Amino acid sequence: MADLLTLNLPGTVENIHFVGIDLDHNSLELAKNMVASLGKSHHCQFFRENAWDLGSNHPAEFDLITTNGLNIYEADNDKVTELYRALHTALKPGGILIGSALSIPQEWDLS
């Protein structure tokens, strides 16, 4: 979330709202602390949820979704496809998904 919150947005952007979603409580707390240190708490909301449930919990809610490397937590390609379907469902019509995929470290055994 830091990559978005530290953008130098024009002063004309007043109605921007960021939503952080993660299953990990500690990650959410770190994000909340960072947001508070940047003075942007009034622009942010956080949910402890599974990204695979995003479409059913937030249908057509977001203009933009960013995701970085969630694919490494799931070895089953069909389930990764489900994730991207959920992200698509959570986007408003014409919404944008910015995603990146990470390679799985060799020392991880996901079988």
Side-chain angles (χ1 to χ4, degrees):
M1 192 173 221
D3 52 344
L4 296 174
L5 291 171
T6 55
L7 289 173
N8 187 15
L9 298 172
T12 56
V13 177
E14 297 176 12
N15 294 327
I16 195 163
H17 185 76
F18 297 97
V19 177
I21 296 175
D22 204 306
L23 267 179
D24 182 59
H25 173 76
N26 291 332
S27 292
L28 289 172
E29 289 303 311
L30 287 170
K32 288 176 187 178
N33 290 337
M34 180 204 51
V35 165
S37 73
L38 293 170
K40 296 187 177 182
S41 297
H42 59 288
H43 287 289
C44 298
Q45 189 174 11
F46 296 92
F47 297 99
R48 186 167 182 234
E49 295 178 1
N50 189 328
W52 275 259
D53 297 332
L54 198 64
S56 57
N57 292 344
H58 304 275
E61 184 172 328
F62 303 110
D63 296 302
L64 171 73
I65 295 176
T66 64
T67 177
N68 182 27
L70 279 175
N71 64 297
I72 67 170
Y73 299 105
E74 181 55 63
D76 183 338
N77 286 336
D78 290 336
K79 293 209 183 265
V80 173
T81 300
E82 287 176 25
L83 168 65
Y84 288 105
R85 281 192 183 115
L87 297 174
H88 179 265
T89 302
L91 284 169
K92 291 179 181 176
I96 298 170
L97 172 65
I98 299 174
S100 62
L102 300 175
S103 299
I104 300 170
Q106 287 182 339
E107 61 271 11
W108 286 22
D109 180 14
L110 296 178
S111 51

